[in-house]
Amino acid sequence: MAFTYRFKDIYDNTIYVGYTGQQMSERMNQHFTKGHLPKECYQSVAKIEYIKWKTKSDAQLMEIYFINKYKPKFNKQNKRNDALTI
């Protein structure tokens, strides 16, 4: 089991996309206590959406797809430029 998740701002813009093989509650706790993203990102989060997948590979693939689709401002540039081939 794995998850792909999106942080959205008050205007419903996707500002960050990630994936995890952990429970969502554990991953969100890590984000909002020890977070690796800028404070501005966490302060801008109005909603968190997530999708549960059967495999980590599915979650990783969808993370790249969503990053390329939404171009979130808090994702690293190298992930935005990953090629998505199916």
Side-chain angles (χ1 to χ4, degrees):
M1 164 181 54
F3 300 88
T4 303
Y5 57 92
R6 297 191 293 162
F7 291 171
K8 299 179 92 177
D9 66 14
I10 60 172
Y11 304 106
D12 213 35
N13 296 314
T14 298
I15 59 173
Y16 180 76
V17 175
Y19 85 92
T20 185
Q22 300 175 302
Q23 291 295 323
M24 280 299 293
S25 59
E26 290 175 31
R27 185 64 183 121
M28 292 304 108
N29 185 48
Q30 289 173 348
H31 264 298
F32 289 94
T33 59
K34 305 172 191 170
H36 68 282
L37 301 171
K39 273 187 177 181
E40 178 191 354
C41 176
Y42 296 117
Q43 292 170 345
S44 300
V45 176
K47 183 185 343 183
I48 300 169
E49 296 180 343
Y50 64 91
I51 302 169
K52 184 177 176 179
W53 303 96
K54 289 183 180 181
T55 69
K56 186 176 174 181
S57 296
D58 290 338
Q60 288 174 308
L61 182 66
M62 291 310 296
E63 177 199 32
I64 294 168
Y65 171 77
F66 286 140
I67 288 170
N68 283 297
K69 179 177 181 178
Y70 296 110
K71 308 219 180 319
K73 71 180 192 175
F74 293 106
N75 280 93
K76 292 182 181 175
Q77 187 65 32
N78 63 327
K79 285 202 174 184
R80 287 186 194 168
N81 293 326
D82 284 348
L84 179 62
T85 57
I86 299 176

